[in-house]
């Protein structure tokens, strides 16, 4: 349903995109700097992992929703979104590792 789709998109697209924008803004405005040996490509590779964090999301969903069917839909969407974010994050980190070890 639309609630589940919104959760999936939020975890898989929104959380990483927010992390990239925040990191870029902090670097651009001078509020931060990358540690030695770290570059923005590596930061970008790690941001999909922001979509993992289902424990609190599931807890909040059970408090916020009264309808059991909707609670189940939300829990499933949270778990699928977190798993998808984890797979994308691991793939991005492996690709980044391969790119840096070849150079």
């Amino acid at each position: 349903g639309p609630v589940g789709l919104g959760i999936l998109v939020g975890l898989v697209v929104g959380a990483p995109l927010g992390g990239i924008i925040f990191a870029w803004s902090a670097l651009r405005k001078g509020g931060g700097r990358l540690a030695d040996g770290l570059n923005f490509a590596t930061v970008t590779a790690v941001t999909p992992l922001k979509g993992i964090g289902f424990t609190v999301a599931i807890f909040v969903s059970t408090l916020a929703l009264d309808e059991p069917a909707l609670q189940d839909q939300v829990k499933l969407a949270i778990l699928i979104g977190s798993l998808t974010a984890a797979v994308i994050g691991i793939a991005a980190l492996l690709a980044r590792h391969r790119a840096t070890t070849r150079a």
Side-chain angles (χ1 to χ4, degrees):
V3 173
L5 184 60
I7 290 169
L8 282 170
V9 171
L11 291 174
V12 176
V13 178
L17 187 60
I20 291 169
I21 291 170
F22 178 79
W24 180 81
S25 297
L27 294 171
R28 179 101 173 149
K29 298 290 182 185
R33 71 173 195 82
L34 294 176
D36 294 336
L38 185 63
N39 58 27
F40 198 74
T42 305
V43 171
T44 301
V46 113
T47 59
L49 299 176
K50 288 177 55 27
I52 305 170
F54 52 87
T55 308
V56 172
I58 289 175
F59 175 68
V60 169
S61 72
T62 58
L63 295 176
L65 304 169
D66 292 329
E67 188 180 331
L70 189 55
Q71 283 180 355
D72 291 342
Q73 178 187 358
V74 167
K75 288 176 188 176
L76 183 61
I78 291 168
L79 291 173
I80 291 171
S82 294
L83 179 64
T84 304
V87 169
I88 292 169
I90 289 168
L93 288 173
L94 287 173
R96 184 71 192 134
H97 176 70
R98 286 188 196 110
T100 57
T101 56
R102 288 185 190 152

